[in-house]
Structures are given as structure tokens and as C-alpha cells.
Amino acid sequence: MSKEEFPGWHGTTIIGVRKDGKVVIAGDGQVSLGQTVIKGTARKVRRLSPGGQDVIAGFAGSTADAFTLLERLEKKLEATPGQLARASVDLAKDWRTDKYLQKLEAMLIVTDGKDLFVITGAGDVLEPEHDIAAIGSGGNFALAAGRAMMDSDMDAEAVARKAMAIAADICVYTNGKLTVESIG
């Protein structure tokens, strides 16, 4: 099967919400190949503890590529404990300039409870406006829904769960089987 004929993997919606001193990252469990759901319970949100410092990461894109990036991020955090911003920038630099890493197809949302970043292969380390970020196939739906709820009485986890439920209702590549991790 040529690359042009390959239907392509789809799936994943990841959201990060920071509200009232708590940060939550939630991700759905769906992985699709073309129009077929291959798996409904994938775990795309992970807790890392490099050097004893808790960091939560969610990923969209190729799983193997994301794990490669998470391993690199852990090494960066071990070299610069407690400095998520610096480790994220160093990872983005490597990702952008290293010929091997340039081919990786994934995006990350990471937090240490204080900072919240989206890291991309284009060399971006973005701190989201409005304390909410989303990536993946249903990311724009989750982002819009989450932003609409940020002024409500809901806590960070409730906002993330409701935004993901709305995204799952709209995006065929997103399901309601969530992995949720919080910090702070």
C-alpha cells in the first residue's frame, strides 16, 4: 500500500485546563484507521516524575513518536529539575533541528501544575491564553467548549470532562473514554 493509499491514523483529543490553582489534562481513548475504530481505550495522558518532580503530559499523533518525545522531555527535566519551561524549549529546539526528530508526528500538552504548554514539531512552545489548550482531531471543539465554561463555577476537572464530552459528540475521531490526570 503506497503512502497515498494509506487511509491514515486519526484520533485523539487532548485538553489542558488550569483553573483555581489546579491543572488537569484529559484525553480520549479512540484510535482510528481511516473510518475504522482500531482501539477505544488508548491511554494518551501520562504522569512523569523525573527527578521527583511531577509533570503531566498528553499527546496527539503517532504513539511511538510521542513516546520518543516524552522520553526526551524526561531527560531534559532530569537535567533541569523543576524547570518545565526550559526543558520544553530545549525539547522544541531539538525537535526542530534534529533530522531524526523532525520526522516525528505528534504534539504535546505538558504541565507541572504551574506552567501549561503546548509543544509542537514546528519549534513552538506555546502558553495558552485563557488557561486552556487543546490538541488533536477534536481539539478545536474541546477548546471552544472549555473556553465557554471557564467563567462558570465548575472546577478544572469538570470543565475538562464536559469539554471532552462535547468534543466527543461532534468529532467522529473522539470518544468519551477519558484518561484524566490532575496536579496542584
Side-chain angles (χ1 to χ4, degrees), residues 18-125:
R18 179 176 43 212
K19 188 173 182 188
D20 300 327
K22 184 177 180 182
V23 185
V24 172
I25 297 181
D28 78 307
Q30 184 166 312
V31 177
S32 303
L33 178 60
Q35 296 179 15
T36 304
V37 175
I38 301 298
K39 184 173 183 176
T41 58
R43 193 167 165 266
K44 301 172 229 171
V45 177
R46 305 263 189 232
R47 184 174 293 270
L48 313 172
S49 295
Q53 304 286 326
D54 274 349
V55 171
I56 301 169
F59 61 86
S62 165
T63 304
D65 291 356
F67 282 156
T68 298
L69 294 167
L70 291 175
E71 286 173 9
R72 293 274 182 137
L73 179 61
E74 276 190 293
K75 287 179 185 167
K76 301 287 183 190
L77 287 164
E78 287 168 357
T80 59
Q83 297 182 50
L84 181 61
R86 182 173 174 187
S88 297
V89 169
D90 286 347
L91 175 64
K93 282 182 193 175
D94 290 353
W95 194 354
R96 179 81 173 133
T97 58
D98 184 281
K99 289 186 187 294
Y100 166 73
L101 295 178
Q102 285 176 355
K103 295 178 180 11
L104 300 183
E105 296 181 4
M107 291 180 73
L108 305 174
I109 293 180
V110 298
T111 186
D112 59 2
K114 181 183 73 169
D115 293 316
L116 177 66
F117 297 117
V118 175
I119 308 172
T120 75
D124 300 312
V125 177

